[in-house]
Amino acid sequence: MEPRRIVLAVVLMAAVLILTPIFFPSPVPAPGSKTAVTDSLRRADSATVASTNPAVADPATAALAAGSTASGMRGLPDSSTAAPPPVAQPIDTAVVTTTSAVFRTTNRGAALIGVEMQRYPALSNKGRTKGGPVELAKTGDRLLSFRLVMPGDTVALNAQTFTSTRAEENGRAVVRYDAIVGARAITIAYSFLPDSYRVNVAAVVKGAPDNSFLLIDMPAGFRSSEADTAEDQSHLAYAYKPDQQNAKGVSFSSLDPGERRIEAGPIAWTVAKNKYFLLGVLASNGVPGFAEVNFTGGVRVAKAATRSEATIVASLKSGSVAFDVYAGPQEFKRLVAMGRSFETSNPYGGWLQGVVQPFATMVIRLLLWMKATLGLSYGWILVLFGIAVRIILWPLNQKAMRSSMQMQRIQPHLQEIQTKYKGDPTKLQAEMMRVYKEHGMSPFSSLSGCLPMLIPLPVFFALFFVFQNTIEFRGVSFLWFPDISLKDPFFVIPILVAITAMGLSWIGMRGMKANEQQKMMMYLMPAMMMVIFFNMASGLNLYYFVQNLASLPQQWLISQERTKAQPIVRG
């Protein structure tokens, strides 16, 4: 009896598995809907895994079979069965060299698999060159790859072997890839602009039905070519710009493993970036942006987040789509030349972006102008910039310091009035206003005393962000700094910043009767500043040190005025 029960159980289980999809079919999302597109992304993942299995002899056939199985499970017709058997094509890599970069594409998926920066050497941990150029792609990774979504089916093109042809058109190198996938002809062409990091990409799918999409997979990470690898990886992020809105950033660390984030379009561009380099995909000028962009947190093998995923969903209009690719350094002038507010691909300031971003842009423009005009090293540019800021702000600083000094002088008299009329608010207010008027001041004059500290802060904050991604500072040596974008290797400048800050506090308290709290702050604030500046870029430390030095003469003159001032006459 026992074998019969086992057979019966097996028969019942088989019946359930076979009949359930027939009587209770899974609902199919409406073609073209957002749900349909994002669901296709999930189904494409499983197809990609199947197609890359080394046990499969023909990856192209395996990918088609995987896509057909996904369709069959939803009760859709299997379009791939009518396709002719694939013609075996050898795997080859096309190398295109411009004056700026070396691009590598492959006929396996018509993917972009590497970009070398001809003008930027990889750096060692001491800030010196390693001898080779910067390479963006990590070993085994692709910088750009594609998937095709049509109603009811998704094909991972990475599994398809294309026929490649090369040509020269209008002074540009053009690499074209052609393949027949599911009885449809697909063409993906790269047009490389000379002396540029820019590539025009066009994709055509003949006979593609409405509501078809090309999925553009962005890099999952970058190879680090920086002296400080950990700091470079901390800048790994994606960014995107919705139409009519400011650019937004998505750092790798902000995405938990497997966490999915979908941003609806139209999207003008999306970038993947590290500290100094980026790969951006931009919708063509004058056409609607991309339909959406999806971000997914990658698996973490350590505490740092070094892997993530991003996919752009591009609508196929009449079976075609064209877009621009920028794969290169975050050079401000080149990003501006791309248009579409591409220079904001590093969104600064978080919720204060509307204020910080324009100010940071103004600062970098000014520094680049000084460099082009004076022809000096960026180290000296920062020295001159720090002095120039103090000279420009000298009159406002002077007025604010004198206002603060006047407040300190009348403070004892104000305290006397407060004690005398504490039971009569009306009289107290009248007497205080009389004192302010006699000395040409107002109750708000005390706020102006904070201006000497607040005035340089916008420039400092702007420089803080500028130093994070301005490639013009990369590898620039100055004095004993091997690289002004990295911290001082001997920590001399942070100590000098603290010493000059203490000197400013000491001079500022001359002629004053300081209480214990003020004396404590004179020592505590410089110590805090040294801790804050300890790991900041040496160029940023240099700028702040010069600011402090340039402030000493003005602080000394004000303290002399305070010492010589006669006591006020109390009425």
Side-chain angles (χ1 to χ4, degrees):
M1 294 298 295
E2 190 65 22
R4 293 181 181 178
R5 291 180 180 177
I6 294 175
V7 172
L8 180 60
V10 171
V11 171
L12 291 174
M13 290 174 61
V16 170
L17 292 174
I18 294 172
L19 297 177
T20 298
I22 296 175
F23 291 105
F24 305 98
S26 301
V28 180
S33 67
K34 183 175 179 180
T35 303
V37 176
T38 53
D39 182 61
S40 297
L41 287 172
R42 297 187 181 93
R43 286 187 281 126
D45 293 338
S46 61
T48 304
V49 172
S51 65
T52 55
N53 189 333
V56 180
D58 189 340
T61 305
L64 287 172
S68 302
T69 302
S71 300
M73 290 179 65
R74 289 166 172 78
L76 296 174
D78 185 354
S79 59
S80 64
T81 56
V87 179
Q89 294 285 344
I91 306 301
D92 65 60
T93 299
V95 179
V96 176
T97 302
T98 69
T99 55
S100 300
V102 177
F103 297 88
R104 299 191 308 279
T105 60
T106 177
N107 67 331
R108 184 66 176 271
L112 178 65
I113 58 174
V115 180
E116 286 184 2
M117 307 291 108
Q118 297 282 72
R119 300 172 180 173
Y120 293 94
L123 302 179
S124 69
N125 59 1
K126 294 184 179 179
R128 298 182 178 87
T129 62
K130 292 180 180 178
V134 168
E135 166 62 55
L136 294 189
K138 298 182 76 171
T139 303
D141 279 3
R142 296 173 179 234
L143 295 176
L144 278 185
S145 56
F146 307 100
R147 287 175 283 168
L148 180 61
V149 175
M150 293 182 291
D153 198 11
T154 297
V155 179
L157 298 186
N158 279 352
Q160 312 298 322
T161 303
F162 288 67
T163 300
S164 62
T165 56
R166 294 189 59 163
E168 195 82 15
E169 297 179 6
N170 300 320
R172 301 182 183 182
V174 177
V175 179
R176 171 173 168 162
Y177 293 104
D178 295 279
I180 303 296
V181 180
R184 300 190 190 280
I186 299 178
T187 300
I188 296 177
Y190 294 86
S191 178
F192 300 88
L193 279 68
D195 193 24
S196 176
Y197 301 97
R198 180 175 176 176
V199 185
N200 300 136
V201 183
V204 178
V205 182
K206 289 188 177 180
D210 293 339
N211 299 324
S212 296
F213 301 89
L214 182 71
L215 306 184
I216 307 168
D217 292 322
M218 302 288 286
F222 286 118
R223 180 185 300 182
S224 179
S225 301
E226 303 308 315
D228 190 338
T229 302
E231 199 231 356
D232 183 41
Q233 291 177 343
S234 70
H235 286 83
L236 287 170
Y238 297 113
Y240 65 99
K241 187 184 183 305
D243 283 357
Q244 311 303 321
Q245 295 183 38
N246 290 329
K248 301 178 182 179
V250 181
S251 65
F252 282 20
S253 58
S254 69
L255 294 169
D256 293 329
E259 178 187 355
R260 192 181 185 91
R261 188 180 303 178
I262 301 173
E263 302 296 341
I267 304 293
W269 47 257
T270 301
V271 304
K273 58 194 179 74
N274 58 10
K275 184 174 183 180
Y276 291 121
F277 301 91
L278 62 79
L279 184 142
V281 177
L282 304 87
S284 297
N285 275 315
V287 302
F290 300 114
E292 65 184 47
V293 59
N294 303 275
F295 305 103
T296 305
V299 176
R300 300 187 188 182
V301 296
K303 185 177 181 181
T306 58
R307 306 284 293 179
S308 197
E309 299 175 13
T311 299
I312 300 169
V313 180
S315 300
L316 289 173
K317 302 295 184 182
S318 301
S320 66
V321 64
F323 51 90
D324 297 328
V325 172
Y326 178 92
Q330 297 180 37
E331 292 182 18
F332 183 77
K333 291 182 178 179
R334 289 186 183 272
L335 300 185
V336 170
M338 293 294 293
R340 291 156 281 192
S341 300
F342 197 54
E343 71 276 9
T344 64
S345 52
N346 278 307
Y348 295 136
W351 60 277
L352 287 175
Q353 182 183 356
V355 176
V356 175
Q357 191 89 40
F359 211 89
T361 299
M362 181 181 67
V363 169
I364 188 60
R365 285 184 184 275
L366 181 57
L367 292 175
L368 292 176
W369 175 81
M370 292 177 67
K371 172 67 175 176
T373 303
L374 302 176
L376 299 173
S377 164
Y378 272 111
W380 289 114
I381 293 295
L382 290 170
V383 170
L384 294 177
F385 183 67
I387 295 173
V389 169
R390 276 299 173 186
I391 292 175
I392 292 171
L393 297 178
W394 183 289
L396 188 57
N397 262 339
Q398 192 84 346
K399 183 177 179 180
M401 288 179 174
R402 283 174 174 161
S403 177
S404 177
M405 185 173 63
Q406 285 179 301
M407 285 297 301
Q408 291 169 1
R409 291 178 58 219
I410 69 171
Q411 196 63 34
H413 192 35
L414 293 176
Q415 291 176 352
E416 181 180 332
I417 293 174
Q418 288 171 345
T419 302
K420 183 176 181 180
Y421 299 105
K422 63 180 180 180
D424 189 348
T426 303
K427 184 67 173 177
L428 173 62
Q429 184 177 10
E431 286 296 311
M432 291 182 69
M433 292 302 296
R434 180 182 64 83
V435 173
Y436 283 130
K437 187 175 180 181
E438 286 177 356
H439 295 86
M441 302 175 69
S442 75
F444 300 103
S445 298
S446 58
L447 298 177
S448 63
C450 300
L451 286 177
M453 292 187 298
L454 297 179
I455 288 172
L457 284 183
V459 178
F460 173 77
F461 286 143
L463 281 174
F464 173 78
F465 289 111
V466 164
F467 265 93
Q468 291 188 28
N469 305 96
T470 301
I471 197 168
E472 286 81 0
F473 298 155
R474 179 183 185 265
V476 175
S477 60
F478 182 70
L479 300 177
W480 64 89
F481 313 139
D483 189 335
I484 63 172
S485 67
L486 301 176
K487 64 184 179 182
D488 183 346
F490 305 111
F491 304 105
V492 174
I493 286 289
I495 294 173
L496 291 178
V497 168
I499 291 173
T500 51
M502 182 176 291
L504 285 171
S505 297
W506 180 79
I507 294 173
M509 293 175 65
R510 288 180 73 246
M512 291 175 53
K513 186 178 180 181
N515 55 37
E516 291 300 320
Q517 184 179 6
Q518 289 174 320
K519 291 180 180 179
M520 181 181 68
M521 291 302 294
M522 185 179 72
Y523 298 102
L524 184 61
M525 286 301 296
M528 290 177 60
M529 291 183 67
M530 185 174 67
V531 172
I532 293 171
F533 281 85
F534 217 63
N535 288 312
M536 284 191 178
S538 54
L540 190 59
N541 273 282
L542 176 66
Y543 164 79
Y544 207 82
F545 170 63
V546 171
Q547 281 267 301
N548 286 350
L549 284 181
S551 300
L552 287 174
Q554 188 175 35
Q555 191 79 290
W556 177 264
L557 292 174
I558 289 295
S559 70
Q560 289 293 93
E561 288 184 24
R562 183 188 299 114
T563 302
K564 295 177 181 179
Q566 297 295 322
I568 63 171
V569 178
R570 300 199 172 104

